[in-house]
Amino acid sequence: MPFTVTGRFDDGATYSVQITGRADRPVIGSHRAAALVELHQGGPVSLSPTGPVRTVAGNDEATVLAVLRQYTDVVDEGPGAPRQARIPG
């Protein structure tokens, strides 16, 4: 189920994208966010601070979101977004 993610890159530029779950176009709304996901496709990403680690795939919404969480500051995740485990502390 598609959902929206809003975030910020390290340089302060903001983005708002829809994560689609489609292999051919996993992210819609920001060319830069889409390029970031494409760059990491096929590589490992941790779904939460404690794991598990999975291979990034365009049709895997959880791994696409994990890439955005790891390489940008995700500010808001819309309804339907996979939840990330939190480490107390």
Side-chain angles (χ1 to χ4, degrees):
M1 176 164 110
F3 58 92
T4 302
V5 174
T6 304
R8 182 176 33 251
F9 292 100
D10 288 344
D11 63 2
T14 60
Y15 66 87
S16 182
V17 296
Q18 183 179 48
I19 296 180
T20 66
R22 293 176 25 204
D24 63 326
R25 196 165 177 201
V27 176
I28 297 173
S30 165
H31 293 292
R32 191 170 171 188
L36 178 67
V37 170
E38 184 177 330
L39 177 68
H40 292 281
Q41 280 196 29
V45 68
S46 181
L47 297 184
S48 75
T50 59
V53 174
R54 290 206 323 229
T55 301
V56 178
N59 62 348
D60 184 344
E61 295 170 344
T63 62
V64 171
L65 178 57
V67 167
L68 294 176
R69 286 176 176 158
Q70 184 171 344
Y71 295 99
T72 72
D73 179 23
V74 173
V75 177
D76 185 50
E77 301 168 11
R83 296 294 159 211
Q84 178 180 23
R86 304 284 180 212
I87 297 176

